[in-house]
Amino acid sequence: MVSNAAVALAAVAAPVGMLAGLAAARRRAGGAAITVGVPLPGQAALALIAAAAVLALGWQRAQGAPGLLGSRLGHLVLAAVAVLLLTALAAAWLHSRATGRAAQAPWRHAAAMLLGALALLAGLLAAAIAWQPEEALAIAHWPFAWRYDPDLPVGTQTWHRLWLAAGLTGLALALLVAALFARRGRLVWLTAAAGLLACASWPAPQLLMTEATRTSYQRSPLAFTDRNVLQGGRLYQAHCAGCHGAQADGRGPLAAGLPVWPSVLGPALFENRLEGELHWRVAHGGDGRGGASAMPGFGAALGADDIWQVLDYLRLRAYGVSGGTGMPAIPAPGVAVTCRDGRATTLAELRGLPLWIGAAAASASAPNAMQEPLDPRLLTVALTWGGGYSADGNSAGADCVASGEDAWNAYALAAGVPPDALAGAQFMVDRRGWLRARRLPGAAPAWTSADNVCGPGGRMENTSAQGLGALLLAMDRAPIGIPDTRRWQ
């Protein structure tokens, strides 16, 4: 995965080269052109290459256009690209205007100061990019009323029309830049560019995009902990269950009297809708057919964090129902832990290590997940509730123990079983804290995973220590690239 340092290195490469050239500034014999270490055309090419590299790396780091346009890190990347492009234009323009004036010291000094100031500004932006924390990837807003929807059925003709319009527009912009540096025939260049722009017929946004809100690409900033998830469950039961049902199945006691039947709030909800748009819908409500109010807005009754808690509860419940099939990745619920070596007090502090989490039975006669041999490369966490194991985890044989009703109930949601049936459930968590596989109690002895960690069919029958090792290797080979911008607890 691309890091901030890689983006910053690409952004600072051109400024460093330009400043080094300015430090060795010299005038070519005869005064025909300005040279500052590297000739001005070379300076322009260097800045253009750096701008393209910064944009490409920033695109990967910010996870596409939403991150570039809506996050603090994305804004810094775009600012660095803009400064580098401005530097390239300035160098090219100075080169085109250098003839006859390059021998004049004041003009050469002014040109060097301009390029030096732009290079320093690009360097400062590169330093700012390098120092940004992970939270800088959080998307604050989406600036447009439309967003690209990959699930929309787009015909071949629409794509051809789009690429043709993009090509004509790009060529028109190139002619505009050429007109900027042209000494003769500038009007011809401008006329040709205007003609190309007039011929660029862009398809209607509805054919490629769907309506968006300013929160469309936002994700929950709250720590994904057992307390927050269960608090979301309590808020859901108080404000939403009357219509959507206690089991989020759309069969609440008030459902039959509504003009539009409530939605099922299961896996399909998160497969087809972005979290930020769901947040907007809960806060502001939505219109049904014929103008009838499908759902009132809860922005006055619930705060922004309350709504995120409700959505996190529904996400964890949906994961429990489907095992995450078709859903975005979900982190392992954070819980308080007690470790034998005292290395951590919360699950978030164990990030960087692969985890095996097992729900230990409260009685010796019940199925016990802890009886199986484990891979020594895994850190083991035992979920206990009901006094079955001591707090230090020695009798459970685990490295850490998470005890208490909240932790138990949160992982019961992740397993999709009632709390009294959780004993024996197992979960695999990767080094960045994402839930990657699970094995349910009482089911066939197999690990399952929505992201094919358990193989192309999402299933692995080998539950021995060797099988756990294969899961560990699979998680490391296929890391989840989504930036986790939540607050840790």
Side-chain angles (χ1 to χ4, degrees):
M1 183 177 179
V2 175
S3 65
N4 289 358
V7 182
L9 183 62
V12 80
V16 167
M18 295 181 69
L19 290 174
L22 290 173
R26 62 184 183 274
R27 182 161 58 91
R28 182 177 296 175
I34 297 177
T35 59
V36 282
V38 179
L40 285 174
Q43 298 273 16
L46 181 63
L48 282 175
I49 293 172
V54 171
L55 186 61
L57 293 174
W59 180 279
Q60 296 182 48
R61 177 59 174 155
Q63 300 289 307
L68 280 178
L69 297 173
S71 68
R72 186 169 72 248
L73 180 66
H75 294 163
L76 287 172
V77 169
L78 291 178
V81 170
V83 171
L84 289 171
L85 290 176
L86 183 60
T87 303
L89 286 173
W93 183 82
L94 289 171
H95 176 71
S96 68
R97 295 294 184 269
T99 303
R101 287 185 287 182
Q104 302 176 13
W107 194 88
R108 290 189 291 107
H109 293 163
M113 290 181 63
L114 174 61
L115 294 178
L118 291 173
L120 284 174
L121 180 57
L124 290 175
L125 289 171
I129 291 172
W131 290 336
Q132 291 303 305
E134 194 77 11
E135 290 77 10
L137 289 169
I139 299 175
H141 70 280
W142 176 246
F144 304 112
W146 300 87
R147 67 172 178 86
Y148 174 66
D149 186 354
D151 295 325
L152 284 178
V154 181
T156 304
Q157 183 179 2
T158 302
W159 283 116
H160 287 168
R161 183 178 172 187
L162 174 66
W163 292 120
L164 178 60
L168 292 175
T169 302
L171 184 56
L173 292 177
L175 292 178
L176 288 175
V177 173
L180 178 64
F181 302 106
R183 296 176 180 174
R184 294 181 181 180
R186 182 174 299 176
L187 182 59
V188 175
W189 292 106
L190 293 175
T191 303
L196 290 174
L197 287 175
C199 294
S201 177
W202 292 88
Q206 295 89 333
L207 297 177
L208 294 164
M209 295 180 284
T210 186
E211 292 185 7
T213 67
R214 66 183 306 274
T215 65
S216 284
Y217 290 98
Q218 287 186 9
R219 300 188 183 100
S220 173
L222 304 179
F224 197 76
T225 62
D226 52 356
R227 291 185 179 181
N228 279 335
V229 168
L230 297 178
Q231 174 62 14
R234 289 186 284 269
L235 291 170
Y236 173 84
Q237 298 299 331
H239 296 276
C240 312
C243 298
H244 292 281
Q247 302 301 319
D249 55 5
R251 299 179 179 272
L254 305 177
L258 298 175
V260 178
W261 199 268
S263 303
V264 176
L265 306 179
L269 179 71
F270 295 94
E271 179 182 4
N272 299 321
R273 300 291 294 274
L274 299 178
E275 285 183 66
E277 291 177 345
L278 294 174
H279 190 283
W280 180 274
R281 180 69 179 271
V282 174
H284 298 87
D287 294 332
R289 297 175 183 175
S293 178
M295 188 180 78
F298 287 87
L302 299 174
D305 285 352
D306 295 334
I307 297 175
W308 284 123
Q309 287 176 331
V310 171
L311 293 175
D312 281 344
Y313 163 77
L314 291 173
R315 281 187 67 205
L316 189 59
R317 171 180 281 279
Y319 178 89
V321 171
S322 68
T325 302
M327 292 178 54
I330 188 170
V335 296
V337 298
T338 301
C339 298
R340 285 184 294 180
D341 57 4
R343 72 173 72 192
T345 57
T346 66
L347 197 69
E349 295 175 0
L350 298 175
R351 292 193 179 186
L353 300 169
L355 304 180
W356 177 97
I357 300 177
S363 63
S365 60
N368 187 358
M370 298 301 299
Q371 295 174 354
E372 299 184 1
L374 299 178
D375 192 290
R377 293 170 292 179
L378 291 165
L379 192 70
T380 58
V381 179
L383 295 170
T384 67
W385 182 36
Y389 293 97
S390 60
D392 62 4
N394 289 329
S395 56
D399 299 302
C400 303
V401 170
S403 59
E405 184 177 358
D406 285 351
W408 189 271
N409 289 339
Y411 278 88
L413 281 174
V417 299
D420 58 3
L422 180 65
Q426 304 172 54
F427 304 89
M428 290 285 284
V429 181
D430 67 16
R431 300 177 189 275
R432 301 186 65 228
W434 299 104
L435 276 177
R436 301 300 297 273
R438 72 178 186 182
R439 181 184 174 195
L440 298 183
W447 288 91
T448 58
S449 174
D451 55 10
N452 291 337
V453 165
C454 294
R459 187 177 183 86
M460 179 181 288
E461 299 290 344
N462 187 353
T463 59
S464 65
Q466 182 180 359
L468 290 175
L471 283 176
L472 173 60
L473 292 176
M475 292 191 302
D476 287 341
R477 283 196 302 265
I480 292 176
I482 302 174
D484 186 5
T485 56
R486 293 175 178 268
R487 294 193 293 267
W488 289 11
Q489 286 186 2

